[in-house]
Amino acid sequence: MSNTSKPPEPLSRAATILEAVASVEPNGLEVAKIAQNAGLPLATAHRLVQSLVAVGYLEGGRRGGYRLGARLYGLLERGVTRDELSSICRPLLQRAANELNLVVFLSRTSGRRIVTAVQAIPEKISGSLVLLGSDAPFHATASGKLFLAGMAPDKREDFFGTCYLEQYRPSTITDPNELRREIDRVRAAGYATCRDEFDENVYSLACPVELAGNPLAFVAGVIGFEPDLLAEDGEPRILGHVRKIAADLSAIVSALFKSG
């Protein structure tokens, strides 16, 4: 007899649902369509979808379709080491750092802090540079604002209800309602900035790096002293560069996870 055993039927059905949802990211999929694509009865699909939402493998569904959840992406991310990520993404980040004469970074979340996955420093330094620390808060960084903007509404409200908004600089946003308005602006714009909110005279701009349609996976950006960084053509020029970096990294990181 063969030692190969089939997975339990509920697990096999759950996997089929996840595959069906993943195939249409980032817009999500209604339960009826999930049932159709997975070849399951509607009642069965609905029950399994709710179970997957409960454990964080799916999210959404209130007004739109269901999409892959943050917990599932967290498992994927932990399967790739920092060294692997750094070695694959660093060449692109290094080229951008050399071109812009700025520190360019790739960040991700760890609990309720933002951590730097990779940062590239210009090889020929001209002027002063700002280096990122090992971690930073959500509310006072460009990366953090993007991650908040990409959260499911209930998780974002949980953040507002339980996280202390420390004031690092006079311009740090510490009022939850003001931060909500800022997050709405970030979501509409598709990028975030931070001006003198965490470190004195430091400006950063960040854009989401999508992983299979999930904007919460990683964020790419640049950081520097505000007078230097915005000296030529201001924010639009920097935004154009960062959007290109994020798009290129999205392709690289997505390929990395697909091969993992």
Side-chain angles (χ1 to χ4, degrees):
M1 294 179 61
S2 171
N3 291 328
T4 302
S5 60
K6 293 183 179 181
E9 188 172 356
L11 182 59
S12 179
R13 289 176 171 180
T16 301
I17 285 176
L18 292 174
E19 290 170 354
V21 173
S23 69
V24 297
E25 288 275 25
N27 296 322
L29 206 60
E30 299 287 348
V31 173
K33 202 68 175 174
I34 291 174
Q36 179 183 338
N37 290 5
L40 297 172
L42 181 59
T44 300
H46 184 271
R47 184 179 66 254
L48 287 170
V49 163
Q50 295 309 308
S51 296
L52 290 166
V53 168
V55 297
Y57 287 179
L58 290 179
E59 61 185 28
R62 291 182 179 179
R63 295 184 179 180
Y66 289 92
R67 58 189 182 275
L68 299 184
R71 185 178 182 187
L72 182 60
Y73 279 103
L75 292 174
L76 292 173
E77 291 173 27
R78 286 191 289 273
V80 177
T81 69
R82 177 170 175 154
D83 287 344
E84 289 172 328
L85 187 65
S86 176
S87 64
I88 291 174
C89 295
R90 183 169 293 282
L92 188 153
L93 292 170
Q94 190 63 59
R95 287 194 299 272
N98 292 341
E99 178 184 353
L100 298 173
N101 192 40
L102 292 169
V103 172
V104 182
F105 62 84
L106 182 69
S107 61
R108 64 201 303 178
T109 60
S110 178
R112 294 200 167 189
R113 303 289 289 184
I114 307 301
V115 298
T116 304
V118 188
Q119 78 175 304
I121 302 169
E123 293 173 342
K124 296 182 179 180
I125 299 174
S126 175
S128 301
L129 296 177
V130 176
L131 300 181
L132 290 111
S134 57
D135 70 341
F138 274 76
H139 69 290
T141 59
S143 295
K145 293 174 186 178
L146 272 174
F147 284 119
L148 284 172
M151 283 183 184
D154 56 338
K155 293 183 179 180
R156 186 165 54 248
E157 284 307 307
D158 178 65
F159 170 88
F160 284 124
T162 59
C163 189
Y164 171 63
L165 303 180
E166 182 176 349
Q167 184 160 19
Y168 298 96
R169 299 284 302 150
S171 55
T172 304
I173 300 175
T174 58
D175 177 73
N177 289 327
E178 183 181 351
L179 185 58
R180 286 185 179 94
R181 290 190 291 271
E182 174 70 4
I183 297 309
D184 287 341
R185 287 192 291 269
V186 168
R187 189 183 303 107
Y191 73 99
T193 62
C194 180
R195 293 187 173 189
D196 194 34
E197 297 173 44
F198 188 45
D199 292 303
E200 185 176 2
N201 291 327
V202 170
Y203 171 93
S204 63
L205 187 149
C207 293
V209 175
E210 295 189 4
L211 172 59
N214 180 5
L216 282 178
F218 298 97
V219 161
V222 297
I223 188 168
F225 288 109
E226 184 168 356
D228 299 331
L229 198 146
L230 299 180
E232 298 180 16
D233 301 327
E235 195 168 277
R237 179 182 67 90
I238 297 298
L239 176 59
H241 283 293
V242 176
R243 279 182 167 156
K244 177 63 165 57
I245 294 167
D248 291 344
L249 285 171
S250 177
I252 292 173
V253 174
S254 294
L256 169 64
F257 280 90
K258 285 179 182 178
S259 65

